[in-house]
Amino acid sequence: MVDSPPPGKAYRSADITVYFDASRCRHFAECVRGLPGVFDTAARPWIQPDNAATDEVAEVVRRCPTGALHYQLADAPGEQGDPVTVITALPGGPLLLRGNLSIVTQPGEAGLAETRMAACSCGRTANQPFCDGACHPAD
């Protein structure tokens, strides 16, 4: 469970705020394919949560495999992780994690609460532990 606002830029409507953390985006494009009227890379701002029903926006945000997108409903607690943690290894790519994650980046530090992430599997990322595409610079 995410207790504080997620990192990234906030895009607000009356009922939902969508957060985008560009440093975590690996361009899977689940958002653009899911709701092109809300997530339009040619528009400014590129995220317009008023352009669809709140539940549709939340559902598409939850499809983001990297955690670059998160949401906060105006009248509900923060986004909840899946009850069972699932790890998917992409050939030659990151490890995709979903669940109620606690990410510890320094020994003895409190874990960062997270619902989804793309973890670096090559060790070359400058954004540890998140994948930044360093092993695929043409991405």
Side-chain angles (χ1 to χ4, degrees):
M1 167 177 29
V2 176
D3 294 336
S4 59
K9 184 171 180 176
Y11 298 85
R12 293 182 168 79
S13 75
D15 298 320
I16 190 169
T17 300
V18 176
Y19 295 89
F20 176 63
D21 182 351
S23 71
R24 292 180 55 181
C25 185
R26 297 303 318 128
H27 308 292
F28 283 90
E30 289 293 327
C31 56
V32 174
R33 283 192 303 275
L35 282 174
V38 172
F39 301 94
D40 181 354
T41 59
R44 292 297 173 260
W46 82 276
I47 299 175
Q48 299 182 33
D50 281 324
N51 289 353
T54 299
D55 60 333
E56 292 176 327
V57 174
E59 191 271 324
V60 168
V61 168
R62 285 190 299 270
R63 290 187 208 167
C64 176
T66 65
L69 291 170
H70 283 284
Y71 69 90
Q72 173 69 53
L73 297 174
D75 60 354
E79 185 178 342
Q80 304 294 305
D82 294 343
V84 175
T85 298
V86 175
I87 301 171
T88 304
L90 298 182
L95 299 172
L96 301 179
L97 291 85
R98 298 183 75 84
N100 285 314
L101 310 173
S102 179
I103 302 165
V104 178
T105 57
Q106 297 291 323
E109 231 179 49
L112 169 69
E114 194 50 81
T115 58
R116 297 176 311 283
M117 73 174 287
C120 176
S121 64
C122 73
R124 295 184 217 151
T125 184
N127 191 23
Q128 282 289 355
F130 304 102
C131 177
D132 68 1
C135 56
H136 297 284
D139 285 353

